[in-house]
Amino acid sequence: MIVFNNVSKIYHMGDEVVKALDHASIHIRQGEFVSIIGPSGSGKSTLMNIVGCLDTADEGEYFLDGMSIKRYSEKSLAMIRSRKIGFIFQNFNLISTMTAEENVELPLIYQGLSMNERKARVKEALEMVDLYPRRKHTPNQMSGGQQQRVAIARAMASKPSIFLADEPTGNLDQATGRQIMQIFHHLHEQGNTIVLITHDEHVAEQADRSIKIMDGKVYDETVGKEETDVPVSASAEETPSEETRQSRKEDPSA
Amino acid sequence: MILQSIKMALKSIKTNKLRSFLTMLGIIIGVFALVVLVSLVSGATNTITESISDIGSDMISVTMLDWGANNRLSIKEVESLADKLPNVAATAPAAQGSIDAKTKLKTENVMVYGTTPAYAEIQGYKMKYGRFLMKPDCENHTNVVVLNHDAAITFFGRDNCIGETLKLNGRAYRVIGVVDSGNQQMSMMSMLLNGGGMYTVYIPYTSLIRLASGIKLSVDSFYASAVDGNTGAAKDEINDYMMDKYGDEDMFYIFSQSEISEAMDKVTGTLSLLLGGIAAISLLVGGIGIMNIMLVSVTERTREIGIRKAIGAQPGVIRLQFLIEAMTLSIVGCLLGIVLSWITLQIINILANVSFGLSIPVILLSVLFSSGVGILFGIYPAHKAAKMKPIDALRFS
Ligand SMILES: Nc1ncnc2c1ncn2[C@@H]1O[C@H](COP(=O)(O)OP(=O)(O)OP(=O)(O)O)[C@@H](O)[C@H]1O
Ligand SMILES: [Mg+2]
């Protein structure tokens, strides 16, 4: 469960102040598939970094599974990332000197798993994304779509409960994008929480619901009282999400 | 986790072969200098101390310095010291002279020692043939002579020459024994210590008085051995006795073999320390090279560090990884240095026909020191990597 309570992130660029997140409040339940949509520079990545405990809020509080992460040490945050969070980055973020299987194995080493357990999990994860035959390849020997699938396998292998994906299909063609989305649907069906960041409406539509973000301000209809200051126009934009959720079920690709 | 880190470290060394080698060069040279120099010094020291202990390290020598003193030691008095002083086992007066020796085969200058039977015991001589001087020889000042091995070979062409005659200053002496000369170094050493030649012969003290002018009944120098290796106690007793007799420490000089060893140890200890110090400095310089390259590596791999942190690496794990990388660099450098030293010593051994071996303590020391250098100079870069904020590291390009 992910709860943001008036979270702000402020960057100072010289005299200029950039509010990457401006009193954002969100509420994502366990097992939900949520998309976060907004234009470039609206603060999507900033939001994801805070959700993933890579970054901390300047104001407000973030509760992960009911615990405020405010007072956690770097070490505890690393443990949370290791056990609960699976990242899929826009630019893949694979380690270029390591092969696919070494990349997938790395988070398992940090989890302290035994060699046998690691080997089994690496095989399972790479088979899920159809890349087991390519396990000995390094990232620069693979296409973008393949690299993204390795990144997804890496996130899956550590069996987190929350998957955070920052524009996972942004750099890929449509067919490859659909393939990637199928994997996310599969992960969702297994009961995982999926937070998918995108600026693509079609991708956003495939989620249970969408959270809109604009200039650091977040519009999340499930957060009760805070919605009073949400502009009318933004609330209107949220109505289609209910329809898209139903339409997704008829979509054969889903 | 440590095993994984070592694997990763070796891999990153392999992927940057040239750079890693240049980085390790400082350590390689440092270890090479340390191991080769100290091995050479300790090899030389061993050879010398072996020679010294061959001579017998519990031997004490006493030399009179004031030739004009009137109450000089007599042979009897010197011999009685063994009974009077509890820690003194045996005493033997000794005088020496350089005298022409002649046989049918050869005429050559030899070092003649005039002494008593106890001399062989004090010096630890073993007889190869025949016997050493005995009491009746001295009491009757008979013309008998004991030869060392070199003298026997030179003057008679063989070492079993008992019963032959050697002419010393024209007087005929009967050969009664040949001393087992031990090893080569001993003769070298006794040559150095006594200022004599390779040919040494021993005759009764009383016989030497008749043979050489300037050698009198009074004793100018004698040797003593201690009971059960209590060299220090024996030396003190002799010193007290001499002080009682002469009341002036400038009248005589007492010296024990173990003092040579001690002086020797001091010299080589200082030498080792000096060489070790020079090597240590070059190792430190090597360490700075490692720190330099580790800092570069941390910066280059900032993104990788960010990724590792994002997928769950704790700061301590990152620190350990870079620390192990620094240590791996220095230890691999150290091992290469040791291998290089070994090769060099083998070459020296072949060229100079000696046998210097690697000194094990110095190898342990250099491994220890290199790991220390690795930790010392790896800790700052490792710490820098560990405390990077994951988000900043990920954004780095
Ligand atoms: N480290 C930083 N320093 C200064 N400003 C930053 C930093 N990170 C983000 N920002 C600013 O915060 C705002 C939100 O950035 P963010 O990366 O979250 O946008 P985004 O929604 O992910 O955009 P995109 O779709 O292009 O990835 C931007 O205006 C950006 O300039
Ligand atoms: Mg972004």
Side-chain angles (χ1 to χ4, degrees):
Chain A
M1 199 172 62
I2 297 160
V3 175
F4 269 32
N5 207 347
N6 281 313
V7 167
S8 296
K9 185 79 194 177
I10 299 149
Y11 292 109
H12 298 273
M13 303 293 285
D15 293 340
E16 204 183 336
V17 174
V18 180
K19 288 192 169 181
L21 279 182
D22 189 0
H23 294 93
S25 293
I26 54 172
H27 192 142
I28 299 170
R29 284 188 311 279
Q30 181 69 46
E32 259 192 310
F33 188 164
V34 177
S35 66
I36 292 173
I37 186 161
S40 184
S42 55
K44 303 184 295 295
S45 296
T46 307
L47 180 92
M48 181 187 105
N49 290 336
I50 294 176
V51 171
C53 300
L54 282 177
D55 206 352
T56 48
D58 292 330
E59 285 170 26
E61 227 166 331
Y62 166 31
F63 296 92
L64 177 62
D65 293 336
M67 308 271 273
S68 170
I69 67 141
K70 216 176 194 167
R71 270 180 286 277
Y72 282 155
S73 65
E74 264 303 320
K75 185 178 168 181
S76 314
L77 291 177
M79 266 154 79
I80 291 173
R81 288 196 293 272
S82 174
R83 297 199 184 131
K84 293 194 174 175
I85 314 275
F87 284 103
I88 294 119
F89 297 96
Q90 181 170 9
N91 54 358
F92 321 132
N93 272 342
L94 297 172
I95 295 176
S96 57
T97 53
M98 293 182 162
T99 63
E101 67 178 351
E102 285 168 339
N103 266 291
V104 175
E105 191 184 7
L106 199 54
L108 307 180
I109 293 172
Y110 293 140
Q111 281 185 339
L113 297 181
S114 72
M115 169 92 106
N116 289 338
E117 177 75 11
R118 293 201 306 261
K119 291 279 168 263
R121 291 236 201 141
V122 168
K123 186 162 191 271
E124 185 188 15
L126 281 174
E127 275 171 349
M128 285 274 269
V129 297
D130 286 331
L131 281 178
Y132 191 65
R134 294 215 169 224
R135 62 191 180 280
K136 298 286 184 205
H137 292 223
T138 54
N140 56 19
Q141 293 166 336
M142 287 188 282
S143 73
Q146 286 166 339
Q147 288 182 54
Q148 192 60 294
R149 272 145 64 201
V150 173
I152 293 173
R154 178 177 66 186
M156 283 188 328
S158 60
K159 298 202 194 295
S161 51
I162 301 168
F163 285 84
L164 300 177
D166 193 352
E167 309 205 20
T169 58
N171 285 343
L172 309 174
D173 66 59
Q174 280 196 342
T176 320
R178 270 202 296 280
Q179 203 181 359
I180 300 281
M181 285 310 292
Q182 265 182 346
I183 300 174
F184 282 114
H185 287 304
H186 180 74
L187 289 171
H188 178 221
E189 276 154 24
Q190 289 180 331
N192 295 300
T193 309
I194 314 279
V195 178
L196 190 139
I197 290 170
T198 181
H199 54 238
D200 183 342
E201 291 278 355
H202 297 289
V203 172
E205 278 167 5
Q206 297 182 33
D208 293 346
R209 65 186 175 91
S210 287
I211 294 174
K212 303 232 169 350
I213 182 165
M214 187 80 80
D215 289 334
K217 292 192 170 59
V218 165
Y219 309 104
D220 183 352
E221 86 274 17
T222 59
V223 179
K225 304 290 171 276
E226 287 85 348
E227 274 185 318
T228 42
D229 53 15
V230 170
V232 185
S233 59
S235 306
E237 274 178 49
E238 273 176 3
T239 31
S241 69
E242 196 57 28
E243 295 166 24
T244 50
R245 210 161 77 190
Q246 271 142 23
S247 71
R248 181 176 67 78
K249 284 180 183 144
E250 286 139 29
D251 189 344
S253 73
Chain B
M1 193 67 80
I2 290 177
L3 202 73
Q4 290 291 335
S5 300
I6 293 174
K7 262 190 215 159
M8 282 181 214
L10 287 175
K11 198 172 167 183
S12 97
I13 288 176
K14 246 197 283 178
T15 45
N16 280 317
K17 273 195 202 78
L18 182 63
R19 186 210 274 185
S20 306
F21 176 71
L22 292 177
T23 308
M24 290 187 289
L25 207 55
I27 297 286
I28 294 175
I29 292 171
V31 167
F32 174 73
L34 184 75
V35 173
V36 168
L37 292 180
V38 176
S39 294
L40 287 181
V41 168
S42 75
T45 310
N46 283 346
T47 317
I48 294 171
T49 41
E50 264 169 34
S51 324
I52 290 174
S53 65
D54 276 348
I55 295 167
S57 63
D58 62 345
M59 192 182 80
I60 299 163
S61 88
V62 182
T63 310
M64 297 303 298
L65 294 178
D66 190 343
W67 298 78
N70 35 31
N71 56 338
R72 313 211 41 129
L73 289 163
S74 67
I75 295 174
K76 282 260 170 317
E77 188 176 2
V78 167
E79 286 179 331
S80 72
L81 285 181
D83 299 326
K84 280 185 197 150
L85 306 174
N87 277 306
V88 175
T91 50
Q96 66 210 61
S98 181
I99 288 169
D100 279 338
K102 192 176 176 214
T103 57
K104 282 181 219 116
L105 216 61
K106 188 130 183 142
T107 305
E108 185 82 58
N109 205 256
V110 296
M111 181 58 76
V112 180
Y113 280 81
T115 186
T116 58
Y119 188 82
E121 178 196 330
I122 293 167
Q123 297 281 7
Y125 287 166
K126 287 185 183 62
M127 299 308 294
K128 194 155 192 191
Y129 296 104
R131 58 171 179 89
F132 199 70
L133 305 173
M134 299 231 276
K135 215 168 174 191
D137 299 326
C138 297
E139 280 164 358
N140 308 326
H141 28 81
T142 45
N143 288 352
V144 290
V145 63
V146 174
L147 274 63
N148 76 346
H149 178 81
D150 287 341
I153 297 291
T154 307
F155 287 100
F156 299 104
R158 59 195 158 89
D159 49 9
N160 188 2
C161 51
I162 307 297
E164 297 279 352
T165 302
L166 180 74
K167 278 192 172 162
L168 294 172
N169 270 359
R171 286 169 200 254
Y173 279 74
R174 188 165 53 87
V175 176
I176 55 165
V178 175
V179 171
D180 197 346
S181 73
N183 56 31
Q184 191 69 22
Q185 273 145 358
M186 183 183 145
S187 355
M188 289 281 288
M189 221 36 222
S190 53
M191 188 176 86
L192 282 173
L193 288 175
N194 302 329
M198 302 282 270
Y199 312 126
T200 313
V201 303
Y202 310 90
I203 60 174
Y205 193 93
T206 44
S207 305
L208 185 65
I209 296 170
R210 288 194 293 189
L211 202 60
S213 59
I215 308 235
K216 293 183 278 304
L217 263 170
S218 59
V219 174
D220 288 328
S221 73
F222 68 88
Y223 293 93
S225 64
V227 172
D228 295 335
N230 297 328
T231 315
K235 197 184 155 196
D236 289 346
E237 283 172 4
I238 295 172
N239 192 56
D240 289 348
Y241 181 86
M242 298 294 276
M243 282 300 283
D244 270 357
K245 193 170 164 71
Y246 295 106
D248 182 358
E249 60 178 13
D250 290 336
M251 293 282 285
F252 57 91
Y253 175 63
I254 305 182
F255 166 85
S256 66
Q257 259 338 318
S258 54
E259 275 170 71
I260 304 186
S261 323
E262 279 161 26
M264 203 54 221
D265 284 352
K266 229 179 218 166
V267 170
T268 54
T270 313
L271 203 59
S272 300
L273 218 62
L274 189 77
L275 296 174
I278 294 169
I281 289 171
S282 61
L283 275 179
L284 279 183
V285 173
I288 293 169
I290 287 184
M291 173 143 97
N292 187 23
I293 223 67
M294 286 310 293
L295 284 173
V296 171
S297 170
V298 166
T299 308
E300 270 180 359
R301 287 156 67 190
T302 301
R303 230 186 133 68
E304 180 191 319
I305 294 166
I307 295 170
R308 286 174 186 272
K309 291 193 163 192
I311 61 174
Q314 295 174 11
V317 173
I318 300 287
R319 181 179 296 121
L320 187 71
Q321 187 197 332
F322 280 92
L323 207 54
I324 285 178
E325 245 184 78
M327 278 185 68
T328 308
L329 273 177
S330 61
I331 290 175
V332 169
C334 174
L335 295 181
L336 288 179
I338 290 172
V339 170
L340 196 65
S341 316
W342 183 77
I343 293 172
T344 308
L345 286 177
Q346 295 306 308
I347 292 173
I348 291 177
N349 286 348
I350 291 168
L351 291 184
N353 194 25
V354 284
S355 62
F356 287 117
L358 286 180
S359 144
I360 299 294
V362 90
I363 287 178
L364 293 180
L365 185 82
S366 60
V367 171
L368 218 70
F369 203 87
S370 303
S371 334
V373 162
I375 293 177
L376 186 71
F377 291 99
I379 221 155
Y380 173 67
H383 185 67
K384 204 176 155 198
K387 70 170 204 278
M388 274 181 190
K389 280 216 146 85
I391 188 68
D392 295 338
L394 269 178
R395 257 199 216 109
F396 186 88
S397 51

